[in-house]
Amino acid sequence: MMNSRRLFDGRAWALTLLLAACVPASSAGQGTASISGTIQDESGGVLPGVIVTAISGDASSDTIVTRAAVSGGQGRYEISNLPAGSYDVRAAMPGFRSDETAVTVTAGGSAVVDMSLTIAPLAETVTVTRTDLDLAAVPSSIAVVQRDQIEYAQ
């Protein structure tokens, strides 16, 4: 009984060491960064449901990194597992003007980017067009209605 227990303990340690050797060092989060913050409206109230996007790179670069998060009930968001670098952080929500801020994060670091959204003005467009309608083509009719017909209809 004792020998089988030692054999099992030895296999467990060997399996644990094998698995630990297979895990890459980058998965431990040492080379990544995070951006977090709070989204508020212009009166200071928190805004849940805001889509916050962090974009690194531009059209001329080989790699463009895009990550997104949605602010929670307290207006907080967090975008994690970002490679170190410069990011444009943008917050957008229907009915509000979007806000954008540039931030640089280092490996293993984090940045706090609090943003404030203002209510977007209502924009409504009404387009009226007139067609050239010949008034002679509009049918016209005249009818005489008697008083008793009006009283009867009521």
Side-chain angles (χ1 to χ4, degrees):
M1 187 82 142
M2 185 60 96
N3 289 340
S4 65
R5 186 172 180 96
R6 271 193 199 147
L7 182 61
F8 177 74
D9 288 341
R11 286 184 187 168
W13 276 106
L15 181 61
T16 303
L17 291 174
L18 179 64
L19 289 174
C22 293
V23 175
S26 64
S27 68
Q30 295 173 354
T32 62
S34 66
I35 300 172
S36 62
T38 303
I39 309 295
Q40 298 178 336
D41 64 10
E42 55 197 329
S43 68
V46 296
L47 290 174
V50 177
I51 299 171
V52 183
T53 308
I55 302 173
S56 174
D58 56 23
S60 65
S61 68
D62 294 337
T63 305
I64 296 176
V65 176
T66 302
R67 302 277 195 283
V70 177
S71 62
Q74 298 298 317
R76 300 256 328 131
Y77 73 93
E78 182 174 6
I79 303 172
S80 56
N81 296 324
L82 293 168
S86 297
Y87 290 88
D88 290 324
V89 181
R90 181 180 179 152
M93 182 175 191
F96 290 85
R97 287 188 177 151
S98 59
D99 190 12
E100 190 168 338
T101 303
V103 66
T104 301
V105 290
T106 58
S110 63
V112 176
V113 179
D114 294 331
M115 302 176 96
S116 179
L117 302 183
T118 58
I119 295 175
L122 293 177
E124 187 173 315
T125 304
V126 177
T127 304
V128 178
T129 58
R130 180 179 180 268
T131 60
D132 290 331
L133 183 61
D134 185 16
L135 292 179
V138 176
S140 62
S141 64
I142 298 175
V144 176
V145 180
Q146 299 297 324
R147 179 179 182 166
D148 60 337
Q149 290 175 321
I150 296 172
E151 289 176 358
Y152 180 74
Q154 294 179 3

